[in-house]
Amino acid sequence: QQQQQQQQARRDGSTSSGEPPAELVEARPDVPASGGPVFVATGLELTNRQRRIVADLGVQIASDWGLQVTHLVADTFRRTTKMMCAICQGTPVVTLEYIAASRNVGRLIDERPFILKDEVCEAAFARKRGISGGYSLLEALDRARSQGPLLRGISVYCFPSVAEKRELPHLVAAAGGIWLTRFPAERADDASVLLLAERTVSGEKEQQRRKAHRVYDVELLREAACTQVIRRSSYRLR
């Protein structure tokens, strides 16, 4: 069975581990490989003083997202690649106050009281997406931890109409899915395959395939990374 899965992965252009293929992923700065805490920031830069504080706490700082990251530091809810990947992993998204509070006791403390709460941006995100009941980053993180990888067992293919997709392989990997580089013709209608596209069509071949199969707006993936809920019916392209 494992050999059949590997053969299928080669046909689809995917990687069996779910990691994005090297040719599609821009080279990233090394992320510390130790088993200790690793911080990365999004939407802000840590000052030299803050860097010295976290270093004294035994924390390493990464310049980009990696699966070794244990904490994301942010001051507002922005739909950045780091933010979306952190939510998919259930990684705590903490404010700068977490660093100061940890310094006061000389060790990393419980993150939950310092999880980012950005009522303005979270509410704006929910309104724009038509999410009834609103949106909560804390609830999304809890959902990711309780339900496990959002895309476990799911392969994702983006049609050529999706021009801006540099971050998508990272999201798929963080959510436990498999990124496909070629159209999965033999299993395009399987429940384990998610076909994504922009609303505009790139060409005749894509148009034919979109008429023959269930295809969803690529925004489905970005929203799902933030909410940990896949709303297929809201994003089905007709």
Side-chain angles (χ1 to χ4, degrees), residues 21-29 64 166 170:
E23 66 269 18
L24 284 187
V25 181
E26 186 179 73
R28 296 178 296 170
D64 212 338
R166 179 175 295 178
H170 300 302

Side-chain angles (χ1 to χ4, degrees), residues 133-163:
Y135 170 75
S136 166
L137 171 61
L138 178 60
E139 291 179 4
L141 290 170
D142 287 343
R143 193 174 295 121
R145 297 188 192 105
S146 63
Q147 72 183 9
L150 180 70
L151 297 179
R152 180 194 288 122
I154 296 179
S155 299
V156 178
Y157 172 78
C158 280
F159 282 97
S161 58
V162 183

Side-chain angles (χ1 to χ4, degrees), residues 27-121:
R28 296 178 296 170
D30 290 339
V31 175
S34 72
V38 178
F39 284 17
V40 69
T42 186
L44 59 86
E45 288 190 16
L46 298 180
T47 65
N48 289 335
R49 181 172 181 274
Q50 289 164 340
R51 288 175 174 271
R52 287 195 297 270
I53 291 173
V54 297
D56 290 342
L57 293 170
V59 175
Q60 299 188 65
I61 299 176
S63 58
D64 212 338
W65 174 261
L67 298 183
Q68 304 93 329
V69 171
T70 60
H71 299 73
L72 177 68
V73 183
D75 59 359
T76 188
F77 175 72
R78 298 183 179 92
R79 207 179 63 165
T80 66
T81 300
K82 293 175 186 176
M83 179 71 73
M84 291 187 285
C85 286
I87 297 171
C88 286
Q89 291 279 298
T91 301
V93 180
V94 297
T95 62
L96 289 169
E97 284 74 18
Y98 177 67
I99 295 176
S102 294
R103 173 181 177 274
N104 290 338
V105 298
R107 59 178 174 79
L108 294 182
I109 58 178
D110 180 24
E111 303 94 352
R112 195 168 185 87
F114 302 93
I115 296 295
L116 175 67
K117 297 181 182 66
D118 186 348
E119 294 180 358
V120 173
C121 290

Side-chain angles (χ1 to χ4, degrees), residues 176-229:
I178 296 176
W179 178 259
L180 303 179
T181 59
R182 289 189 291 273
F183 183 75
E186 297 179 5
R187 57 191 187 102
D189 291 320
D190 287 1
S192 62
V193 173
L194 189 60
L195 303 178
L196 303 176
E198 293 285 3
R199 294 190 177 276
T200 57
V201 180
S202 67
E204 184 177 348
K205 179 182 288 188
E206 177 174 333
Q207 187 169 14
Q208 291 174 349
R209 286 174 169 172
R210 285 169 62 159
K211 287 181 178 179
H213 307 288
R214 291 186 300 273
V215 180
Y216 303 90
D217 191 318
V218 67
E219 285 300 308
L220 165 69
L221 178 59
R222 297 186 178 106
E223 179 191 285
C226 294
T227 64
Q228 294 300 286
V229 176

